Amino acid sequence: MVTAQRSEGRLSSSGHTALTSAVTAPNYAPLPVVVAEARGAWVTDVEGRRYLDCLAGYSALNFGHGHPVLLRAAREQLERVTLTSRAFYNDRLGPFARDLAALAGMDQVLPMNTGAEAVETAIKLSRRWGYQVKGVPADRAQIVVAAGNFHGRTTTIVSFSTDDSAREGFGPFTPGFTVVPYGDAEALRAALTPETVAVLIEPIQGEAGVIVPPPGYLAAVRQACTDAGVLLVADEVQSGLGRTGATFACELEGVVPDVYLLGKALGGGIVPVSAVVSTREVLGVFTPGSHGSTFGGNPLAAAVGHAVVGLLETGEYQERAAKLGVHLRDRLEGLVGHGVQAVRSRGLWAGVDIDPGLMTGRAACEGLAGRGVLVKDTHGSTIRLAPPLVIEPEDVDRAVDALAAVLAGGGR
Ligand SMILES: Cc1ncc(COP(=O)(O)O)c(C=O)c1O
């Protein structure tokens, strides 16, 4: 075992990419960068090359790699107790849930692990609420979702995806979902029926390319849900927890949903932590035995999640994202017409549409990696920038300068 570890330590980047490709399922096409260490907004590969991480684990690393407060919380908890299951109480979950609920202005938390599990939980929650509280006839509940959505990868969630690559070959699909165009509040209102129990929506669509809906859209969706007696479930797994310059992207539109779905950054980039956060009335439809997870609410996750909530309570990260986000947008807009067709952003989160005549999003990402900046393409010609919120202002410039150079070089 020791020998095996030593030899792995000596593998080059190409050795690791070959090994990983040979022994893991081909459900990803990673850039050929093999990360060995990381701190803050920077990662280092096995050859010692440094890269600016402008993806931040798809926003799971909002506080950067190895944030000292989060590492301390994790280390201390590792020495105490890491897993109890929910068969017993632990002394970390209550304080974490109390403070997370308060941060969201809600009453209660249902802890899970991954974002997809939070979404699945919300689907079950909405259906049960629909039958018990709204009085929808058994097995008739409908949930309205938006085209272009990304809520995770389970069979039920991909059932209402509009992305063929996420669905192909995975049927039969789960019924009970109605898809409406994103950004069209009237279409959404028209889709609500007496059997609709919830609208499940991303306040900003991340995977779709940081699609920001028109001003007033979310507020109109909120009003439509209130009028029709339907739960508004905001999937803030990617948009939440500081990324957009506010704790929740809904806040930017003055909207309070009935249910928040959180994940990614809630685990501080250390452990998977997700949560469904809502009122006592709504979450109260669950009863013992009706839902659960072996790892959900474990003391290690709760300790790290609690430390994340503590960071967000300071407001420092939201402010930083808002301030640096203005700079990022100004700089990116300067590239429009120079290889960039359009830029959309909120806080430190930007979708950049590369001119497809110049290069693909993938080629842009490869070019950027060659210049020491890590980002990921989505949907062909869009690249998404989501650096850790701890990024230094000069590193924001460094990333945009690198993009400008890649575009000027036409991908070379
Ligand atoms: C909005 C949104 N919801 C849910 C998920 C799924 O989260 P996970 O990959 O942790 O299951 C994602 C992941 O990207 C997401 O962006």
Side-chain angles (χ1 to χ4, degrees), residues 249-294:
C250 282
E251 272 173 63
L252 298 171
E253 299 294 316
V255 164
V256 179
D258 298 294
V259 180
Y260 283 111
L261 307 184
L262 304 174
K264 294 195 192 276
L266 193 56
I270 299 175
V271 277
V273 187
S274 67
V276 177
V277 188
S278 186
T279 60
R280 190 165 283 107
E281 290 69 36
V282 172
L283 281 169
V285 302
F286 281 122
T287 45
S290 58
H291 191 57
S293 156
T294 302

Side-chain angles (χ1 to χ4, degrees), residues 9-356:
R10 280 202 299 269
L11 280 182
S12 64
S13 281
S14 56
H16 277 289
T17 55
L19 171 64
T20 306
S21 304
V23 297
T24 64
N27 57 326
Y28 278 95
L31 292 170
V33 173
V34 182
V35 176
E37 283 173 43
R39 265 297 175 276
W42 288 86
V43 303
T44 308
D45 76 2
V46 290
E47 277 88 19
R49 286 181 291 252
R50 296 181 79 229
Y51 299 85
L52 183 60
D53 181 0
C54 286
L55 182 65
Y58 298 97
S59 288
L61 288 153
N62 279 1
F63 309 99
H65 295 270
H67 191 293
V69 169
L70 303 182
L71 283 188
R72 194 181 324 122
R75 276 199 196 102
E76 285 175 9
Q77 195 57 39
L78 277 174
E79 298 299 326
R80 293 178 70 234
V81 56
T82 52
L83 186 67
T84 53
S85 84
R86 295 291 303 279
F88 315 110
Y89 290 84
N90 71 68
D91 67 354
R92 289 294 173 189
L93 179 55
F96 163 54
R98 176 196 61 209
D99 293 349
L100 178 59
L103 185 78
M106 296 283 181
D107 305 322
Q108 290 191 336
V109 168
L110 196 162
M112 296 295 281
N113 310 284
T114 63
E117 285 175 303
V119 174
E120 286 278 351
T121 303
I123 292 168
K124 290 168 78 175
L125 173 69
S126 303
R127 287 179 172 180
R128 200 175 246 227
W129 176 89
Y131 301 131
Q132 291 187 0
V133 180
K134 186 169 172 171
V136 171
D139 297 340
R140 300 289 306 168
Q142 282 289 322
I143 295 177
V144 172
V145 298
N149 70 73
F150 186 89
H151 297 286
R153 298 292 195 172
T154 66
T155 41
T156 287
I157 294 172
V158 300
S159 294
F160 55 87
S161 169
T162 55
D163 178 355
D164 287 345
S165 60
R167 287 166 56 92
E168 200 193 318
F170 299 136
F173 297 114
T174 309
F177 300 93
T178 307
V179 182
V180 296
Y182 189 62
D184 182 344
E186 278 319 304
L188 185 138
R189 186 182 275 276
L192 303 181
T193 74
E195 293 176 349
T196 308
V197 295
V199 168
L200 167 64
I201 205 148
E202 295 158 88
I204 294 171
Q205 290 186 329
E207 293 300 309
V210 192
I211 307 296
V212 182
Y217 172 68
L218 272 188
V221 170
R222 169 70 278 181
Q223 193 58 50
C225 288
T226 304
D227 294 347
V230 162
L231 296 177
L232 174 57
V233 180
D235 183 346
E236 296 246 19
V237 165
Q238 194 166 157
S239 60
L241 308 182
R243 171 60 52 195
T244 62
T247 307
F248 303 105
C250 282
E251 272 173 63
L252 298 171
E253 299 294 316
V255 164
V256 179
D258 298 294
V259 180
Y260 283 111
L261 307 184
L262 304 174
K264 294 195 192 276
L266 193 56
I270 299 175
V271 277
V273 187
S274 67
V276 177
V277 188
S278 186
T279 60
R280 190 165 283 107
E281 290 69 36
V282 172
L283 281 169
V285 302
F286 281 122
T287 45
S290 58
H291 191 57
S293 156
T294 302
F295 291 97
N298 72 72
L300 179 61
V304 174
H306 200 191
V308 165
V309 171
L311 294 181
L312 288 165
E313 282 168 349
T314 67
E316 182 189 328
Y317 296 88
Q318 296 89 322
E319 202 181 309
R320 206 180 160 84
K323 203 168 140 215
L324 288 179
V326 171
H327 182 59
L328 175 66
R329 180 171 357 177
D330 285 350
R331 287 290 326 270
L332 287 173
E333 278 176 353
L335 300 182
V336 174
H338 302 277
V340 167
Q341 288 188 328
V343 174
R344 297 165 298 275
S345 79
R346 278 288 183 280
L348 275 175
W349 200 23
V352 179
D353 295 341
I354 307 288
D355 179 353

